[in-house]
Amino acid sequence: MRFVLACVFIATLAAAVLAYRKEDHEIFDLVSDLEASEGKGTTFYSWLEVPPTAPLAQINKAYRKKSIELHPDKNPSVRGIHERFARLGVIVNILRNPEGRERYDFFYKNGVPKWRGTGYYYTRFRPGLGTVLIFLTLLTTGLQYLVQKMNYSRDLNRIRQTIHDAKLAAWGPKMVQSGGKRKVKVNLGGGPRIDEYGRTVPGKVIDMIVDGDTVYIPDSTGELHELNEETATPPALARTWFLTFLRGVFQLATKGKNEPAQIEGNGDEQGENSDYGSNPTAGGTAVPSGMSEGRAPKQVMRAATVRAGGRRKAVKK
């Protein structure tokens, strides 16, 4: 974390030090417009037909010659002649100013940067409020989806490790299966704790049932829930905040139409069949919502399963 913060600080400091000024932005525009008008690779000096080391007197002489050549009165039918003539005056003013010429010579020798700073692009394109909102929506949605992928990968690794630890506790290092089901305690990490027998147990542990290659987590009612990689919730764009917001708005708009049907229906069945996660998270885990009162004891099982890296999957005994 400290390394990331240090990188962000250095990048911010570098951006502040290397920030381009308004005069630099003017030079960038002139270089782009000059190449578009006179040909790629055209420079201030080559357009005036003088060397980069030309003194001010030579530049003024070249300017007078070029201004006569490009004067709009002598080229009334030439397209874009007014812009070219005005551009000539701006370029010469930069070369006449010692500081301006020094800045141009720097970019002349080192090249005009491809990335010219956020201020340069903002002042020229000036995105509207709608464009900014769309950009921020896409950015935050993409970041949330990326976090979902990272958490999904973390959950898969946690589930695999938990399954391995359970089998190791049941069958030993050689993984020789013998007998039927075995109940084991699996350490999920954390600090030492005291178990129900008064013994010091390193970390948080949960009870698990190992039956061959299958690992189950029992709940308080004795029901077994299989733990495998399918219990990890994969990333989904449908669970990002913007699509969830649109879905919520749609459901709110259609709520009035569906209320009569919901009143006539069975409330318990509605709770049984509700979807996972009415409030999606950025991570890779989700828990059932809308459970009926008869299923309340099973909520005790949620925490253990989530700590193991996934959601519950009930298995008939």
Short mmCIF file of all heavy atoms in Angstrom, two decimals, residues 146-187:
data_model
loop_
_atom_site.label_atom_id
_atom_site.label_comp_id
_atom_site.label_asym_id
_atom_site.label_seq_id
_atom_site.Cartn_x
_atom_site.Cartn_y
_atom_site.Cartn_z
N LEU A 146 -13.67 -4.57 -12.52
CA LEU A 146 -12.31 -5.04 -12.29
C LEU A 146 -12.14 -5.53 -10.86
O LEU A 146 -11.50 -6.57 -10.61
CB LEU A 146 -11.32 -3.92 -12.59
CG LEU A 146 -9.84 -4.23 -12.35
CD1 LEU A 146 -9.40 -5.38 -13.26
CD2 LEU A 146 -8.98 -3.00 -12.61
N VAL A 147 -12.72 -4.82 -9.91
CA VAL A 147 -12.66 -5.25 -8.51
C VAL A 147 -13.40 -6.57 -8.34
O VAL A 147 -12.95 -7.46 -7.59
CB VAL A 147 -13.24 -4.16 -7.59
CG1 VAL A 147 -13.38 -4.66 -6.16
CG2 VAL A 147 -12.35 -2.92 -7.63
N GLN A 148 -14.51 -6.74 -9.02
CA GLN A 148 -15.24 -8.01 -8.96
C GLN A 148 -14.36 -9.16 -9.45
O GLN A 148 -14.34 -10.24 -8.84
CB GLN A 148 -16.52 -7.94 -9.79
CG GLN A 148 -17.62 -7.09 -9.20
CD GLN A 148 -18.88 -7.12 -10.05
OE1 GLN A 148 -18.94 -7.84 -11.05
NE2 GLN A 148 -19.87 -6.36 -9.66
N LYS A 149 -13.63 -8.94 -10.53
CA LYS A 149 -12.76 -9.99 -11.06
C LYS A 149 -11.65 -10.32 -10.06
O LYS A 149 -11.31 -11.49 -9.86
CB LYS A 149 -12.16 -9.55 -12.39
CG LYS A 149 -13.15 -9.44 -13.53
CD LYS A 149 -12.46 -9.23 -14.86
CE LYS A 149 -11.64 -10.44 -15.26
NZ LYS A 149 -11.07 -10.29 -16.61
N MET A 150 -11.09 -9.29 -9.46
CA MET A 150 -10.02 -9.52 -8.49
C MET A 150 -10.55 -10.29 -7.28
O MET A 150 -9.90 -11.24 -6.80
CB MET A 150 -9.43 -8.18 -8.05
CG MET A 150 -8.71 -7.43 -9.16
SD MET A 150 -8.25 -5.76 -8.68
CE MET A 150 -7.20 -6.08 -7.27
N ASN A 151 -11.72 -9.92 -6.79
CA ASN A 151 -12.31 -10.61 -5.64
C ASN A 151 -12.73 -12.03 -5.99
O ASN A 151 -12.66 -12.94 -5.15
CB ASN A 151 -13.50 -9.83 -5.09
CG ASN A 151 -13.07 -8.56 -4.38
OD1 ASN A 151 -11.93 -8.43 -3.97
ND2 ASN A 151 -13.99 -7.63 -4.24
N TYR A 152 -13.19 -12.22 -7.23
CA TYR A 152 -13.56 -13.57 -7.67
C TYR A 152 -12.33 -14.49 -7.69
O TYR A 152 -12.39 -15.63 -7.22
CB TYR A 152 -14.19 -13.50 -9.06
CG TYR A 152 -14.53 -14.85 -9.65
CD1 TYR A 152 -15.49 -15.67 -9.06
CD2 TYR A 152 -13.89 -15.29 -10.80
CE1 TYR A 152 -15.81 -16.90 -9.60
CE2 TYR A 152 -14.21 -16.53 -11.35
CZ TYR A 152 -15.17 -17.33 -10.75
OH TYR A 152 -15.47 -18.56 -11.29
N SER A 153 -11.23 -13.97 -8.18
CA SER A 153 -9.99 -14.74 -8.17
C SER A 153 -9.53 -15.04 -6.76
O SER A 153 -9.10 -16.16 -6.44
CB SER A 153 -8.89 -13.98 -8.93
OG SER A 153 -7.67 -14.66 -8.89
N ARG A 154 -9.66 -14.05 -5.86
CA ARG A 154 -9.30 -14.26 -4.47
C ARG A 154 -10.20 -15.32 -3.82
O ARG A 154 -9.72 -16.18 -3.06
CB ARG A 154 -9.42 -12.94 -3.70
CG ARG A 154 -9.10 -13.02 -2.22
CD ARG A 154 -9.74 -11.89 -1.48
NE ARG A 154 -11.20 -11.95 -1.59
CZ ARG A 154 -12.02 -10.98 -1.22
NH1 ARG A 154 -11.53 -9.87 -0.72
NH2 ARG A 154 -13.33 -11.11 -1.35
N ASP A 155 -11.51 -15.28 -4.11
CA ASP A 155 -12.44 -16.24 -3.53
C ASP A 155 -12.15 -17.65 -4.01
O ASP A 155 -12.25 -18.62 -3.24
CB ASP A 155 -13.88 -15.85 -3.87
CG ASP A 155 -14.33 -14.59 -3.15
OD1 ASP A 155 -13.64 -14.21 -2.18
OD2 ASP A 155 -15.34 -13.99 -3.56
N LEU A 156 -11.81 -17.79 -5.31
CA LEU A 156 -11.47 -19.12 -5.83
C LEU A 156 -10.26 -19.69 -5.11
O LEU A 156 -10.26 -20.87 -4.73
CB LEU A 156 -11.20 -19.04 -7.33
CG LEU A 156 -12.41 -18.87 -8.25
CD1 LEU A 156 -11.96 -18.80 -9.70
CD2 LEU A 156 -13.41 -20.00 -8.07
N ASN A 157 -9.25 -18.87 -4.92
CA ASN A 157 -8.06 -19.34 -4.21
C ASN A 157 -8.39 -19.71 -2.76
O ASN A 157 -7.88 -20.71 -2.24
CB ASN A 157 -6.98 -18.26 -4.24
CG ASN A 157 -6.44 -18.02 -5.63
OD1 ASN A 157 -6.46 -18.93 -6.48
ND2 ASN A 157 -5.96 -16.82 -5.90
N ARG A 158 -9.26 -18.93 -2.13
CA ARG A 158 -9.64 -19.21 -0.75
C ARG A 158 -10.43 -20.51 -0.66
O ARG A 158 -10.21 -21.32 0.26
CB ARG A 158 -10.47 -18.05 -0.19
CG ARG A 158 -10.84 -18.22 1.27
CD ARG A 158 -11.71 -17.07 1.73
NE ARG A 158 -11.02 -15.80 1.62
CZ ARG A 158 -11.61 -14.62 1.82
NH1 ARG A 158 -12.90 -14.58 2.15
NH2 ARG A 158 -10.92 -13.50 1.70
N ILE A 159 -11.33 -20.74 -1.60
CA ILE A 159 -12.13 -21.97 -1.60
C ILE A 159 -11.23 -23.18 -1.82
O ILE A 159 -11.35 -24.20 -1.13
CB ILE A 159 -13.23 -21.88 -2.68
CG1 ILE A 159 -14.30 -20.86 -2.28
CG2 ILE A 159 -13.86 -23.25 -2.90
CD1 ILE A 159 -15.32 -20.60 -3.35
N ARG A 160 -10.32 -23.07 -2.81
CA ARG A 160 -9.42 -24.19 -3.08
C ARG A 160 -8.56 -24.51 -1.86
O ARG A 160 -8.34 -25.69 -1.54
CB ARG A 160 -8.54 -23.86 -4.29
CG ARG A 160 -9.31 -23.78 -5.60
CD ARG A 160 -8.48 -23.11 -6.67
NE ARG A 160 -9.24 -22.96 -7.92
CZ ARG A 160 -8.89 -22.13 -8.91
NH1 ARG A 160 -7.80 -21.37 -8.78
NH2 ARG A 160 -9.62 -22.06 -9.99
N GLN A 161 -8.06 -23.46 -1.20
CA GLN A 161 -7.24 -23.68 -0.02
C GLN A 161 -8.04 -24.31 1.11
O GLN A 161 -7.56 -25.21 1.81
CB GLN A 161 -6.63 -22.36 0.44
CG GLN A 161 -5.66 -22.48 1.60
CD GLN A 161 -4.44 -23.33 1.26
OE1 GLN A 161 -3.88 -23.19 0.17
NE2 GLN A 161 -4.04 -24.19 2.18
N THR A 162 -9.28 -23.85 1.29
CA THR A 162 -10.13 -24.40 2.35
C THR A 162 -10.46 -25.86 2.09
O THR A 162 -10.42 -26.69 3.01
CB THR A 162 -11.43 -23.58 2.47
OG1 THR A 162 -11.10 -22.20 2.69
CG2 THR A 162 -12.29 -24.09 3.60
N ILE A 163 -10.77 -26.21 0.83
CA ILE A 163 -11.06 -27.60 0.49
C ILE A 163 -9.82 -28.47 0.73
O ILE A 163 -9.91 -29.58 1.26
CB ILE A 163 -11.53 -27.70 -0.98
CG1 ILE A 163 -12.90 -27.02 -1.14
CG2 ILE A 163 -11.60 -29.14 -1.43
CD1 ILE A 163 -13.38 -26.96 -2.57
N HIS A 164 -8.67 -27.95 0.33
CA HIS A 164 -7.43 -28.70 0.54
C HIS A 164 -7.16 -28.92 2.03
O HIS A 164 -6.77 -30.03 2.45
CB HIS A 164 -6.26 -27.95 -0.10
CG HIS A 164 -4.93 -28.60 0.12
ND1 HIS A 164 -4.11 -28.28 1.19
CD2 HIS A 164 -4.28 -29.56 -0.57
CE1 HIS A 164 -3.02 -29.00 1.14
NE2 HIS A 164 -3.09 -29.80 0.09
N ASP A 165 -7.37 -27.89 2.83
CA ASP A 165 -7.13 -28.01 4.27
C ASP A 165 -8.10 -29.01 4.90
O ASP A 165 -7.72 -29.78 5.81
CB ASP A 165 -7.28 -26.65 4.95
CG ASP A 165 -6.18 -25.69 4.54
OD1 ASP A 165 -5.15 -26.16 4.00
OD2 ASP A 165 -6.35 -24.46 4.74
N ALA A 166 -9.34 -29.01 4.43
CA ALA A 166 -10.33 -29.95 4.97
C ALA A 166 -9.95 -31.40 4.63
O ALA A 166 -10.01 -32.30 5.49
CB ALA A 166 -11.72 -29.63 4.44
N LYS A 167 -9.54 -31.65 3.39
CA LYS A 167 -9.13 -33.00 3.00
C LYS A 167 -7.86 -33.41 3.73
O LYS A 167 -7.71 -34.58 4.11
CB LYS A 167 -8.92 -33.06 1.49
CG LYS A 167 -10.19 -32.91 0.68
CD LYS A 167 -9.88 -32.98 -0.81
CE LYS A 167 -11.16 -32.86 -1.63
NZ LYS A 167 -10.87 -32.91 -3.10
N LEU A 168 -6.97 -32.45 3.93
CA LEU A 168 -5.73 -32.75 4.65
C LEU A 168 -6.03 -33.15 6.10
O LEU A 168 -5.42 -34.08 6.64
CB LEU A 168 -4.81 -31.54 4.61
CG LEU A 168 -3.42 -31.71 5.22
CD1 LEU A 168 -2.62 -32.74 4.43
CD2 LEU A 168 -2.68 -30.37 5.23
N ALA A 169 -6.96 -32.45 6.71
CA ALA A 169 -7.33 -32.78 8.09
C ALA A 169 -8.05 -34.12 8.18
O ALA A 169 -7.96 -34.82 9.19
CB ALA A 169 -8.20 -31.67 8.68
N ALA A 170 -8.79 -34.49 7.12
CA ALA A 170 -9.57 -35.74 7.14
C ALA A 170 -8.74 -36.95 6.76
O ALA A 170 -8.83 -38.01 7.40
CB ALA A 170 -10.77 -35.61 6.21
N TRP A 171 -7.90 -36.83 5.73
CA TRP A 171 -7.22 -38.00 5.18
C TRP A 171 -5.71 -38.01 5.43
O TRP A 171 -5.04 -38.99 5.09
CB TRP A 171 -7.48 -38.10 3.68
CG TRP A 171 -8.91 -37.96 3.29
CD1 TRP A 171 -9.44 -37.07 2.43
CD2 TRP A 171 -10.02 -38.74 3.76
NE1 TRP A 171 -10.80 -37.22 2.32
CE2 TRP A 171 -11.19 -38.26 3.13
CE3 TRP A 171 -10.14 -39.81 4.65
CZ2 TRP A 171 -12.44 -38.79 3.37
CZ3 TRP A 171 -11.40 -40.34 4.88
CH2 TRP A 171 -12.53 -39.84 4.25
N GLY A 172 -5.18 -36.92 5.98
CA GLY A 172 -3.75 -36.90 6.25
C GLY A 172 -2.94 -36.41 5.06
O GLY A 172 -3.48 -36.18 3.96
N PRO A 173 -1.62 -36.26 5.23
CA PRO A 173 -0.78 -35.72 4.15
C PRO A 173 -0.80 -36.57 2.89
O PRO A 173 -0.65 -36.04 1.79
CB PRO A 173 0.62 -35.70 4.79
CG PRO A 173 0.37 -35.69 6.27
CD PRO A 173 -0.87 -36.48 6.47
N LYS A 174 -0.96 -37.89 3.01
CA LYS A 174 -0.95 -38.76 1.84
C LYS A 174 -2.31 -38.82 1.14
O LYS A 174 -2.44 -39.46 0.09
CB LYS A 174 -0.52 -40.16 2.24
CG LYS A 174 0.93 -40.22 2.73
CD LYS A 174 1.34 -41.65 3.04
CE LYS A 174 2.79 -41.73 3.49
NZ LYS A 174 3.21 -43.11 3.79
N MET A 175 -3.30 -38.18 1.72
CA MET A 175 -4.64 -38.13 1.15
C MET A 175 -5.21 -39.53 0.88
O MET A 175 -5.81 -39.79 -0.17
CB MET A 175 -4.65 -37.31 -0.14
CG MET A 175 -4.32 -35.86 0.05
SD MET A 175 -5.60 -35.01 0.99
CE MET A 175 -4.93 -33.34 1.07
N VAL A 176 -5.00 -40.42 1.81
CA VAL A 176 -5.53 -41.78 1.67
C VAL A 176 -6.93 -41.82 2.28
O VAL A 176 -7.10 -41.68 3.50
CB VAL A 176 -4.62 -42.81 2.37
CG1 VAL A 176 -5.22 -44.21 2.24
CG2 VAL A 176 -3.23 -42.77 1.77
N GLN A 177 -7.94 -41.99 1.45
CA GLN A 177 -9.32 -41.97 1.93
C GLN A 177 -9.67 -43.32 2.56
O GLN A 177 -9.42 -44.37 1.97
CB GLN A 177 -10.27 -41.67 0.77
CG GLN A 177 -10.00 -40.34 0.09
CD GLN A 177 -10.95 -40.07 -1.04
OE1 GLN A 177 -11.94 -40.78 -1.23
NE2 GLN A 177 -10.67 -39.01 -1.81
N SER A 178 -10.26 -43.25 3.74
CA SER A 178 -10.66 -44.47 4.43
C SER A 178 -11.92 -44.18 5.23
O SER A 178 -12.07 -43.11 5.82
CB SER A 178 -9.55 -44.96 5.36
OG SER A 178 -9.24 -43.98 6.33
N GLY A 179 -12.82 -45.10 5.21
CA GLY A 179 -14.06 -44.92 5.95
C GLY A 179 -15.03 -44.03 5.19
O GLY A 179 -14.89 -43.74 4.01
N GLY A 180 -16.06 -43.58 5.90
CA GLY A 180 -17.07 -42.74 5.28
C GLY A 180 -16.81 -41.27 5.52
O GLY A 180 -15.69 -40.79 5.37
N LYS A 181 -17.86 -40.58 5.94
CA LYS A 181 -17.73 -39.15 6.18
C LYS A 181 -16.90 -38.87 7.42
O LYS A 181 -16.95 -39.64 8.39
CB LYS A 181 -19.12 -38.52 6.34
CG LYS A 181 -20.02 -38.64 5.13
CD LYS A 181 -21.36 -37.99 5.40
CE LYS A 181 -22.28 -38.11 4.20
NZ LYS A 181 -23.60 -37.48 4.44
N ARG A 182 -16.19 -37.78 7.37
CA ARG A 182 -15.40 -37.37 8.53
C ARG A 182 -15.65 -35.91 8.83
O ARG A 182 -15.67 -35.08 7.92
CB ARG A 182 -13.91 -37.59 8.27
CG ARG A 182 -13.51 -39.05 8.24
CD ARG A 182 -12.03 -39.23 8.41
NE ARG A 182 -11.67 -40.64 8.46
CZ ARG A 182 -10.42 -41.07 8.69
NH1 ARG A 182 -9.45 -40.19 8.88
NH2 ARG A 182 -10.17 -42.36 8.72
N LYS A 183 -15.83 -35.63 10.10
CA LYS A 183 -16.03 -34.25 10.54
C LYS A 183 -14.69 -33.68 11.00
O LYS A 183 -14.02 -34.28 11.85
CB LYS A 183 -17.05 -34.20 11.67
CG LYS A 183 -17.38 -32.78 12.13
CD LYS A 183 -18.46 -32.80 13.20
CE LYS A 183 -18.82 -31.38 13.64
NZ LYS A 183 -19.87 -31.37 14.69
N VAL A 184 -14.31 -32.56 10.43
CA VAL A 184 -13.02 -31.95 10.76
C VAL A 184 -13.24 -30.48 11.06
O VAL A 184 -14.28 -29.90 10.75
CB VAL A 184 -12.02 -32.10 9.58
CG1 VAL A 184 -11.71 -33.56 9.33
CG2 VAL A 184 -12.55 -31.43 8.32
N LYS A 185 -12.23 -29.90 11.69
CA LYS A 185 -12.21 -28.46 11.94
C LYS A 185 -11.14 -27.84 11.04
O LYS A 185 -10.00 -28.30 11.02
CB LYS A 185 -11.93 -28.17 13.41
CG LYS A 185 -13.05 -28.58 14.35
CD LYS A 185 -12.75 -28.18 15.77
CE LYS A 185 -13.89 -28.57 16.70
NZ LYS A 185 -15.11 -27.78 16.40
N VAL A 186 -11.52 -26.80 10.34
CA VAL A 186 -10.62 -26.15 9.39
C VAL A 186 -10.34 -24.74 9.86
O VAL A 186 -11.26 -23.99 10.21
CB VAL A 186 -11.22 -26.13 7.97
CG1 VAL A 186 -10.29 -25.41 7.00
CG2 VAL A 186 -11.49 -27.54 7.50
N ASN A 187 -9.07 -24.40 9.89
CA ASN A 187 -8.64 -23.07 10.31
C ASN A 187 -8.80 -22.10 9.14
O ASN A 187 -8.24 -22.30 8.06
CB ASN A 187 -7.19 -23.13 10.77
CG ASN A 187 -6.71 -21.81 11.35
OD1 ASN A 187 -7.44 -20.84 11.34
ND2 ASN A 187 -5.48 -21.78 11.85
#
